[in-house]
Amino acid sequence: MKLLLIEDDPLLAETLSDAMRLEHFTVTTLDDGDQALALLSQPGHAADLVLLDLNLPGASGLEVLAALRRHDSDTPVLIITARGAIEDRVRGLDLGADDYLAKPFALDELEARVRALLRRRGRHQALRVGTLSFDPEAQRFTLDDAALALPPREQRLLACLMRHAGAPVDKARLAEDAFAGEVMGDNAIEVYIHRLRQRLKDSDVSLRTVRGLGYLLEAP
């Protein structure tokens, strides 16, 4: 998943970038509002989520947000700013921001909000890994253009792996995302992983274990 971080404080930008990369995100950083405006005012920015400071040199964060929303209503935007005034929050949300986090904030909270926004987006966005695809609206998987029927737990597990395709997903994340807080032992998750491998074994999609990191869904 690709994050675009627009933040002019170099220390904070470095801290947030490092934290997000540890969560297996690819992070691009910009420190100038004019650069961000040039990138986001046109289609093709390729970011899965934007972390946006409001107080930037050059164009303001609100100008950047307005330019993005003129052609892109889907990419989640999380505003991060020291501004505490209610009117700034309201204006940002009215312009199309999805969430708002005032500085200073805990990294754990930022990471949780990023995950929540991406989950929300993933529930409505079609996913594809090789010949495996998932339509969240219809709750329908296809593999090699044929319907792939799955029991509910396997369906949630595979959807989670597809949202994080290309990066390892650990058991704790799988339990959180795929099982909605149910108490699931490590052995239970391994059973479901084995079942999914059996379903995918004759396709171009592989589900492999990355020692110490979790499970990785990928295609050539």
Side-chain angles (χ1 to χ4, degrees):
M1 302 293 281
K2 299 176 182 178
L3 302 187
L4 175 61
L5 171 61
I6 306 169
E7 168 60 60
D8 66 323
D9 182 326
L11 180 58
L12 180 59
E14 181 180 3
T15 300
L16 296 183
S17 296
D18 289 345
M20 291 295 101
R21 289 185 179 111
L22 287 174
E23 292 292 306
H24 310 299
F25 291 105
T26 299
V27 184
T28 300
T29 60
L30 295 175
D31 60 3
D32 180 84
D34 290 337
Q35 293 175 354
L37 189 64
L39 176 63
L40 295 179
S41 61
Q42 301 294 329
H45 56 80
D48 294 300
L49 184 141
V50 178
L51 299 174
L52 176 63
D53 187 15
L54 292 186
N55 189 19
L56 296 167
S60 72
L62 292 176
E63 290 176 295
V64 172
L65 176 59
L68 172 67
R69 286 296 183 241
R70 279 194 284 271
H71 66 85
D72 180 351
S73 60
D74 295 327
T75 302
V77 175
L78 173 58
I79 289 176
I80 50 173
T81 182
R83 294 184 181 180
I86 293 296
E87 56 267 25
D88 287 329
R89 302 187 188 194
V90 170
R91 190 175 176 201
L93 294 171
D94 283 345
L95 284 172
D98 297 272
D99 202 356
Y100 197 110
L101 194 56
K103 302 173 188 175
F105 50 79
L107 283 176
D108 286 349
E109 182 178 5
L110 174 68
E111 292 165 2
R113 293 193 185 211
V114 166
R115 290 195 298 269
L117 288 174
L118 290 173
R119 280 198 301 270
R120 188 186 310 165
R121 184 191 191 202
R123 284 196 290 268
H124 303 285
Q125 186 178 45
L127 304 173
R128 188 171 187 90
V129 180
T131 57
L132 175 67
S133 63
F134 176 52
D135 180 349
E137 295 291 338
Q139 290 293 294
R140 181 174 181 268
F141 288 90
T142 58
L143 182 63
D144 293 325
D145 296 322
L148 178 64
L150 298 173
R153 284 180 173 171
E154 289 182 45
Q155 185 178 88
R156 294 196 298 268
L157 183 65
L158 185 55
C160 175
L161 289 163
M162 290 184 74
R163 286 195 295 271
H164 298 278
V169 187
D170 61 28
K171 289 180 178 178
R173 177 66 55 79
L174 288 174
E176 177 187 347
D177 285 7
F179 299 106
E182 293 181 53
V183 177
M184 299 295 298
D186 287 353
N187 290 340
I189 292 176
E190 288 171 3
V191 169
Y192 287 115
I193 291 291
H194 174 73
R195 291 176 182 174
L196 287 176
R197 282 182 175 140
Q198 292 299 110
R199 298 182 189 279
L200 299 172
K201 66 179 180 180
D202 294 324
S203 74
D204 66 342
V205 182
S206 65
L207 176 53
R208 61 186 180 89
T209 301
V210 180
R211 186 176 299 276
L213 294 176
Y215 301 101
L216 175 65
L217 186 74
E218 61 183 357

